[in-house]
mmCIF file of all heavy atoms in Angstrom:
data_model
loop_
_atom_site.group_PDB
_atom_site.id
_atom_site.type_symbol
_atom_site.label_atom_id
_atom_site.label_comp_id
_atom_site.label_asym_id
_atom_site.label_seq_id
_atom_site.Cartn_x
_atom_site.Cartn_y
_atom_site.Cartn_z
ATOM 1 N N VAL A 32 19.257 -128.856 155.060
ATOM 2 C CA VAL A 32 18.870 -127.502 155.455
ATOM 3 C C VAL A 32 18.826 -126.585 154.244
ATOM 4 O O VAL A 32 17.895 -125.775 154.085
ATOM 5 C CB VAL A 32 19.826 -126.945 156.524
ATOM 6 C CG1 VAL A 32 19.541 -125.466 156.784
ATOM 7 C CG2 VAL A 32 19.698 -127.735 157.816
ATOM 8 N N ALA A 33 19.811 -126.710 153.363
ATOM 9 C CA ALA A 33 19.860 -125.848 152.183
ATOM 10 C C ALA A 33 18.610 -126.019 151.328
ATOM 11 O O ALA A 33 18.062 -125.036 150.797
ATOM 12 C CB ALA A 33 21.109 -126.155 151.365
ATOM 13 N N PHE A 34 18.130 -127.267 151.186
ATOM 14 C CA PHE A 34 16.913 -127.481 150.406
ATOM 15 C C PHE A 34 15.704 -126.892 151.119
ATOM 16 O O PHE A 34 14.920 -126.138 150.523
ATOM 17 C CB PHE A 34 16.690 -128.973 150.161
ATOM 18 C CG PHE A 34 15.447 -129.256 149.359
ATOM 19 C CD1 PHE A 34 15.501 -129.291 147.983
ATOM 20 C CD2 PHE A 34 14.217 -129.446 149.989
ATOM 21 C CE1 PHE A 34 14.352 -129.516 147.232
ATOM 22 C CE2 PHE A 34 13.067 -129.677 149.241
ATOM 23 C CZ PHE A 34 13.137 -129.707 147.862
ATOM 24 N N LEU A 35 15.534 -127.225 152.385
ATOM 25 C CA LEU A 35 14.332 -126.798 153.112
ATOM 26 C C LEU A 35 14.274 -125.289 153.266
ATOM 27 O O LEU A 35 13.179 -124.694 153.236
ATOM 28 C CB LEU A 35 14.299 -127.465 154.489
ATOM 29 C CG LEU A 35 14.127 -128.990 154.490
ATOM 30 C CD1 LEU A 35 14.360 -129.537 155.893
ATOM 31 C CD2 LEU A 35 12.748 -129.386 153.983
ATOM 32 N N ALA A 36 15.429 -124.642 153.444
ATOM 33 C CA ALA A 36 15.463 -123.197 153.726
ATOM 34 C C ALA A 36 15.758 -122.377 152.482
ATOM 35 O O ALA A 36 16.082 -121.193 152.591
ATOM 36 C CB ALA A 36 16.496 -122.909 154.810
ATOM 37 N N ALA A 37 15.634 -122.965 151.310
ATOM 38 C CA ALA A 37 15.827 -122.214 150.069
ATOM 39 C C ALA A 37 14.600 -121.355 149.773
ATOM 40 O O ALA A 37 13.473 -121.697 150.142
ATOM 41 C CB ALA A 37 16.084 -123.175 148.909
ATOM 42 N N ASP A 38 14.811 -120.246 149.084
ATOM 43 C CA ASP A 38 13.692 -119.378 148.715
ATOM 44 C C ASP A 38 12.642 -120.128 147.898
ATOM 45 O O ASP A 38 11.450 -119.803 147.952
ATOM 46 C CB ASP A 38 14.199 -118.191 147.898
ATOM 47 C CG ASP A 38 14.927 -117.159 148.754
ATOM 48 O OD1 ASP A 38 14.876 -117.285 149.995
ATOM 49 O OD2 ASP A 38 15.539 -116.247 148.176
ATOM 50 N N ALA A 39 13.077 -121.149 147.149
ATOM 51 C CA ALA A 39 12.152 -121.900 146.303
ATOM 52 C C ALA A 39 11.068 -122.596 147.110
ATOM 53 O O ALA A 39 9.990 -122.894 146.576
ATOM 54 C CB ALA A 39 12.923 -122.935 145.476
ATOM 55 N N GLN A 40 11.322 -122.854 148.395
ATOM 56 C CA GLN A 40 10.316 -123.528 149.240
ATOM 57 C C GLN A 40 9.344 -122.538 149.877
ATOM 58 O O GLN A 40 8.512 -122.924 150.691
ATOM 59 C CB GLN A 40 10.990 -124.350 150.333
ATOM 60 C CG GLN A 40 11.769 -125.587 149.930
ATOM 61 C CD GLN A 40 11.826 -125.959 148.493
ATOM 62 O OE1 GLN A 40 10.808 -126.103 147.818
ATOM 63 N NE2 GLN A 40 13.042 -126.122 148.000
ATOM 64 N N GLU A 41 9.441 -121.246 149.541
ATOM 65 C CA GLU A 41 8.453 -120.228 149.933
ATOM 66 C C GLU A 41 8.213 -120.178 151.439
ATOM 67 O O GLU A 41 7.095 -119.914 151.892
ATOM 68 C CB GLU A 41 7.117 -120.488 149.228
ATOM 69 C CG GLU A 41 7.203 -120.529 147.721
ATOM 70 C CD GLU A 41 5.866 -120.852 147.097
ATOM 71 O OE1 GLU A 41 5.095 -119.912 146.818
ATOM 72 O OE2 GLU A 41 5.571 -122.052 146.897
ATOM 73 N N GLY A 42 9.249 -120.444 152.202
ATOM 74 C CA GLY A 42 9.103 -120.399 153.651
ATOM 75 C C GLY A 42 8.282 -121.547 154.208
ATOM 76 O O GLY A 42 7.876 -121.509 155.374
ATOM 77 N N ARG A 43 8.003 -122.565 153.381
ATOM 78 C CA ARG A 43 7.269 -123.760 153.812
ATOM 79 C C ARG A 43 5.967 -123.393 154.529
ATOM 80 O O ARG A 43 5.588 -123.994 155.532
ATOM 81 C CB ARG A 43 8.142 -124.660 154.701
ATOM 82 C CG ARG A 43 9.497 -124.981 154.066
ATOM 83 C CD ARG A 43 10.310 -125.988 154.842
ATOM 84 N NE ARG A 43 10.561 -125.628 156.221
ATOM 85 C CZ ARG A 43 11.473 -124.745 156.620
ATOM 86 N NH1 ARG A 43 12.229 -124.116 155.721
ATOM 87 N NH2 ARG A 43 11.660 -124.495 157.893
ATOM 88 N N GLY A 44 5.288 -122.381 153.994
ATOM 89 C CA GLY A 44 4.024 -121.946 154.576
ATOM 90 C C GLY A 44 2.867 -122.816 154.129
ATOM 91 O O GLY A 44 2.915 -123.460 153.068
ATOM 92 N N LEU A 45 1.804 -122.828 154.912
ATOM 93 C CA LEU A 45 0.630 -123.621 154.571
ATOM 94 C C LEU A 45 0.067 -123.197 153.225
ATOM 95 O O LEU A 45 -0.045 -122.008 152.922
ATOM 96 C CB LEU A 45 -0.441 -123.464 155.646
ATOM 97 C CG LEU A 45 -0.196 -124.216 156.952
ATOM 98 C CD1 LEU A 45 -1.260 -123.851 157.962
ATOM 99 C CD2 LEU A 45 -0.196 -125.721 156.711
ATOM 100 N N GLY A 46 -0.280 -124.185 152.412
ATOM 101 C CA GLY A 46 -0.878 -123.907 151.118
ATOM 102 C C GLY A 46 0.107 -123.574 150.025
ATOM 103 O O GLY A 46 -0.297 -123.350 148.879
ATOM 104 N N THR A 47 1.411 -123.510 150.331
ATOM 105 C CA THR A 47 2.404 -123.193 149.312
ATOM 106 C C THR A 47 2.906 -124.466 148.634
ATOM 107 O O THR A 47 2.904 -125.550 149.219
ATOM 108 C CB THR A 47 3.605 -122.454 149.918
ATOM 109 O OG1 THR A 47 4.286 -123.329 150.836
ATOM 110 C CG2 THR A 47 3.162 -121.192 150.644
ATOM 111 N N LYS A 48 3.359 -124.312 147.393
ATOM 112 C CA LYS A 48 3.995 -125.429 146.707
ATOM 113 C C LYS A 48 5.277 -125.827 147.435
ATOM 114 O O LYS A 48 5.677 -126.996 147.398
ATOM 115 C CB LYS A 48 4.284 -125.057 145.262
ATOM 116 C CG LYS A 48 3.040 -124.903 144.398
ATOM 117 C CD LYS A 48 3.410 -124.593 142.948
ATOM 118 C CE LYS A 48 2.155 -124.465 142.089
ATOM 119 N NZ LYS A 48 2.487 -124.136 140.670
ATOM 120 N N GLY A 49 5.907 -124.850 148.071
ATOM 121 C CA GLY A 49 7.151 -125.136 148.782
ATOM 122 C C GLY A 49 6.974 -126.130 149.907
ATOM 123 O O GLY A 49 7.845 -126.982 150.140
ATOM 124 N N LEU A 50 5.847 -126.058 150.622
ATOM 125 C CA LEU A 50 5.608 -127.019 151.701
ATOM 126 C C LEU A 50 5.398 -128.414 151.114
ATOM 127 O O LEU A 50 5.900 -129.406 151.667
ATOM 128 C CB LEU A 50 4.392 -126.595 152.525
ATOM 129 C CG LEU A 50 4.107 -127.460 153.757
ATOM 130 C CD1 LEU A 50 5.231 -127.360 154.770
ATOM 131 C CD2 LEU A 50 2.777 -127.060 154.412
ATOM 132 N N ALA A 51 4.691 -128.494 150.003
ATOM 133 C CA ALA A 51 4.499 -129.788 149.343
ATOM 134 C C ALA A 51 5.824 -130.333 148.813
ATOM 135 O O ALA A 51 6.101 -131.538 148.905
ATOM 136 C CB ALA A 51 3.493 -129.639 148.200
ATOM 137 N N ASN A 52 6.661 -129.433 148.278
ATOM 138 C CA ASN A 52 7.983 -129.861 147.816
ATOM 139 C C ASN A 52 8.808 -130.414 148.969
ATOM 140 O O ASN A 52 9.522 -131.422 148.817
ATOM 141 C CB ASN A 52 8.732 -128.691 147.176
ATOM 142 C CG ASN A 52 8.126 -128.248 145.865
ATOM 143 O OD1 ASN A 52 7.379 -128.995 145.239
ATOM 144 N ND2 ASN A 52 8.444 -127.038 145.449
ATOM 145 N N ALA A 53 8.713 -129.750 150.119
ATOM 146 C CA ALA A 53 9.461 -130.206 151.290
ATOM 147 C C ALA A 53 8.988 -131.584 151.728
ATOM 148 O O ALA A 53 9.799 -132.447 152.087
ATOM 149 C CB ALA A 53 9.311 -129.199 152.432
ATOM 150 N N ALA A 54 7.678 -131.818 151.695
ATOM 151 C CA ALA A 54 7.144 -133.125 152.077
ATOM 152 C C ALA A 54 7.666 -134.213 151.144
ATOM 153 O O ALA A 54 8.067 -135.301 151.589
ATOM 154 C CB ALA A 54 5.618 -133.086 152.056
ATOM 155 N N ASP A 55 7.677 -133.931 149.831
ATOM 156 C CA ASP A 55 8.196 -134.911 148.871
ATOM 157 C C ASP A 55 9.678 -135.187 149.132
ATOM 158 O O ASP A 55 10.136 -136.339 149.074
ATOM 159 C CB ASP A 55 8.018 -134.400 147.446
ATOM 160 C CG ASP A 55 6.557 -134.347 147.013
ATOM 161 O OD1 ASP A 55 5.725 -135.018 147.663
ATOM 162 O OD2 ASP A 55 6.257 -133.627 146.047
ATOM 163 N N TYR A 56 10.423 -134.138 149.402
ATOM 164 C CA TYR A 56 11.856 -134.287 149.651
ATOM 165 C C TYR A 56 12.108 -135.161 150.883
ATOM 166 O O TYR A 56 12.954 -136.067 150.850
ATOM 167 C CB TYR A 56 12.482 -132.906 149.852
ATOM 168 C CG TYR A 56 13.953 -132.934 150.204
ATOM 169 C CD1 TYR A 56 14.931 -133.004 149.215
ATOM 170 C CD2 TYR A 56 14.362 -132.877 151.532
ATOM 171 C CE1 TYR A 56 16.285 -133.027 149.540
ATOM 172 C CE2 TYR A 56 15.705 -132.901 151.868
ATOM 173 C CZ TYR A 56 16.666 -132.974 150.871
ATOM 174 O OH TYR A 56 18.001 -132.995 151.204
ATOM 175 N N LEU A 57 11.369 -134.925 151.949
ATOM 176 C CA LEU A 57 11.570 -135.679 153.187
ATOM 177 C C LEU A 57 11.189 -137.149 153.013
ATOM 178 O O LEU A 57 11.874 -138.048 153.523
ATOM 179 C CB LEU A 57 10.760 -135.040 154.316
ATOM 180 C CG LEU A 57 11.175 -133.608 154.667
ATOM 181 C CD1 LEU A 57 10.207 -132.998 155.675
ATOM 182 C CD2 LEU A 57 12.595 -133.559 155.201
ATOM 183 N N ALA A 58 10.094 -137.397 152.295
ATOM 184 C CA ALA A 58 9.725 -138.784 152.019
ATOM 185 C C ALA A 58 10.827 -139.482 151.214
ATOM 186 O O ALA A 58 11.167 -140.647 151.471
ATOM 187 C CB ALA A 58 8.400 -138.833 151.260
ATOM 188 N N GLY A 59 11.416 -138.754 150.265
ATOM 189 C CA GLY A 59 12.502 -139.306 149.485
ATOM 190 C C GLY A 59 13.742 -139.595 150.317
ATOM 191 O O GLY A 59 14.454 -140.583 150.082
ATOM 192 N N ARG A 60 14.015 -138.738 151.290
ATOM 193 C CA ARG A 60 15.169 -138.943 152.170
ATOM 194 C C ARG A 60 14.983 -140.213 152.998
ATOM 195 O O ARG A 60 15.927 -140.993 153.171
ATOM 196 C CB ARG A 60 15.375 -137.727 153.068
ATOM 197 C CG ARG A 60 15.948 -136.534 152.350
ATOM 198 C CD ARG A 60 17.465 -136.663 152.130
ATOM 199 N NE ARG A 60 18.167 -136.570 153.397
ATOM 200 C CZ ARG A 60 18.862 -137.547 153.969
ATOM 201 N NH1 ARG A 60 18.948 -138.733 153.389
ATOM 202 N NH2 ARG A 60 19.481 -137.358 155.131
ATOM 203 N N PHE A 61 13.792 -140.434 153.539
ATOM 204 C CA PHE A 61 13.557 -141.675 154.294
ATOM 205 C C PHE A 61 13.746 -142.896 153.386
ATOM 206 O O PHE A 61 14.374 -143.886 153.768
ATOM 207 C CB PHE A 61 12.145 -141.679 154.883
ATOM 208 C CG PHE A 61 11.986 -140.866 156.140
ATOM 209 C CD1 PHE A 61 10.904 -140.008 156.300
ATOM 210 C CD2 PHE A 61 12.894 -140.977 157.184
ATOM 211 C CE1 PHE A 61 10.740 -139.271 157.459
ATOM 212 C CE2 PHE A 61 12.735 -140.244 158.350
ATOM 213 C CZ PHE A 61 11.666 -139.386 158.493
ATOM 214 N N LYS A 62 13.203 -142.804 152.190
ATOM 215 C CA LYS A 62 13.302 -143.939 151.264
ATOM 216 C C LYS A 62 14.751 -144.231 150.914
ATOM 217 O O LYS A 62 15.166 -145.406 150.832
ATOM 218 C CB LYS A 62 12.491 -143.630 150.013
ATOM 219 C CG LYS A 62 12.388 -144.798 149.040
ATOM 220 C CD LYS A 62 11.458 -144.449 147.884
ATOM 221 C CE LYS A 62 11.326 -145.634 146.926
ATOM 222 N NZ LYS A 62 10.414 -145.302 145.784
ATOM 223 N N ALA A 63 15.561 -143.179 150.752
ATOM 224 C CA ALA A 63 16.958 -143.356 150.376
ATOM 225 C C ALA A 63 17.767 -144.049 151.471
ATOM 226 O O ALA A 63 18.766 -144.721 151.174
ATOM 227 C CB ALA A 63 17.588 -142.004 150.044
ATOM 228 N N MET A 64 17.352 -143.902 152.722
ATOM 229 C CA MET A 64 18.092 -144.554 153.808
ATOM 230 C C MET A 64 17.497 -145.919 154.165
ATOM 231 O O MET A 64 17.854 -146.512 155.181
ATOM 232 C CB MET A 64 18.174 -143.644 155.037
ATOM 233 C CG MET A 64 16.866 -143.316 155.701
ATOM 234 S SD MET A 64 17.069 -142.242 157.182
ATOM 235 C CE MET A 64 17.435 -140.659 156.440
ATOM 236 N N GLY A 65 16.584 -146.423 153.328
ATOM 237 C CA GLY A 65 16.057 -147.761 153.518
ATOM 238 C C GLY A 65 14.846 -147.849 154.416
ATOM 239 O O GLY A 65 14.413 -148.951 154.788
#
Side-chain angles (χ1 to χ4, degrees):
V32 172
F34 180 89
L35 294 170
D38 286 351
Q40 291 359 306
E41 303 177 89
R43 308 187 304 282
L45 285 174
T47 65
K48 291 183 179 179
L50 185 64
N52 291 341
D55 291 342
Y56 176 85
L57 297 173
R60 286 282 291 114
F61 281 134
K62 186 175 181 180
M64 64 179 74

